[in-house]
Amino acid sequence: MNILITGGSRGIGKEAALKLSEDRNNHILVTGRNEKALRAVADSAANENISYYEIDLLHFEQHSGPFLDHVASVFSIVDVLVNNAGLLVNRKFSGLKQTEIRSMMETNFFAPASLIRTLLPLMKKGSHIVNIASMGGVQGSVKFAGLSGYSASKAAIACLTECLALEFSDMGIAVNCIAPGSVQTEMLEEAFPGFSAPVNAKEMGSFLAEFAVKG
């Protein structure tokens, strides 16, 4: 399978990519902002079947053309797209900057939407799109204050998933959403120092890897 995972340099995306690399028939392309970290993921592949592309999804529209060209040079078709990259700013709404809200919406919603639209020509019947939302986007920030902007952006991608699942059904392209609770990742640790989540990145990455290929 040809699998593209955004946010694959660390956390859930990294662990999912490494798990998927255990099947030598999988070819995984991971994206992220840190080339060194991406290279380390590729070097750790079980079957030398992970490649990478450095891109900041905050500015995806400016680079969508070269990105599509690169993906098309690696994959003739995209079997699985995992929109995993995310941005989280932990700050109460009264102190949240407009630029921070826009950055979260851009990374967590607009970039995945643009990626889907950009890569759609490379998808076929049987392709699978998996968007990573959050429980905060489904039921609000029950556990933590300070996640209003993040939760709103995740609610948007969850809603888009439902809409596209219907819209793409005639094409035979499945669109699903995973909404995890708190997972022990670098992003969580940066936002909530000292907090310990009940699930680690490797566990969630393994779940994501299986869900992405089996649906």
Side-chain angles (χ1 to χ4, degrees):
M1 282 187 142
N2 297 330
I3 303 162
L4 194 157
I5 303 175
T6 67
S9 62
R10 63 180 193 168
I12 297 170
K14 169 188 173 181
E15 297 299 338
L18 293 176
K19 182 65 177 178
L20 289 163
S21 75
E22 294 174 5
D23 184 341
R24 64 178 64 254
N25 293 314
N26 288 334
H27 301 277
I28 305 106
L29 173 63
V30 294
T31 76
R33 295 175 297 171
N34 187 324
E35 183 179 4
K36 182 178 179 180
L38 289 168
R39 188 184 310 118
V41 175
D43 290 343
S44 300
N47 288 290
E48 299 184 352
N49 51 353
I50 296 178
S51 60
Y52 63 89
Y53 187 87
E54 182 183 5
I55 186 171
D56 186 350
L57 294 184
L58 188 60
H59 309 291
F60 177 74
E61 288 293 334
Q62 301 173 27
H63 307 285
S64 60
F67 176 75
L68 178 60
D69 291 342
H70 179 80
V71 175
S73 72
V74 176
F75 297 149
S76 57
I77 59 169
V78 175
D79 295 300
V80 177
L81 166 63
V82 179
N83 281 312
N84 168 73
L87 176 65
L88 191 164
V89 177
N90 174 22
R91 187 170 292 116
K92 290 185 178 180
F93 186 75
S94 58
L96 199 58
K97 299 177 183 177
Q98 188 71 2
T99 53
E100 292 171 329
I101 297 174
R102 289 185 181 277
S103 292
M104 284 188 282
M105 287 299 297
E106 190 69 47
T107 303
N108 301 340
F109 174 70
F110 288 114
S114 294
L115 269 162
I116 293 169
R117 195 166 53 247
T118 298
L119 297 175
L120 198 56
L122 295 179
M123 295 184 179
K124 61 174 180 56
K125 183 177 181 179
S127 290
H128 189 196
I129 298 168
V130 182
N131 296 319
I132 305 302
S134 167
M135 284 304 297
V138 176
Q139 59 185 25
S141 301
V142 174
K143 294 184 178 179
F144 308 110
L147 295 186
S148 56
Y150 176 79
S151 294
S153 68
K154 290 299 189 177
I157 195 64
C159 182
L160 179 68
T161 301
E162 292 183 332
C163 295
L164 295 186
L166 177 62
E167 188 172 326
F168 291 175
S169 61
D170 289 345
M171 295 183 284
I173 297 175
V175 189
N176 284 295
C177 182
I178 295 177
S182 54
V183 179
Q184 198 67 37
T185 63
E186 294 92 337
M187 186 175 75
L188 183 78
E189 291 166 3
E190 291 163 2
F192 298 95
F195 178 80
S196 181
V199 179
N200 62 46
K202 188 170 184 178
E203 291 169 332
M204 183 55 66
S206 294
F207 172 81
L208 172 58
E210 183 174 3
F211 182 79
V213 297
K214 295 183 179 178

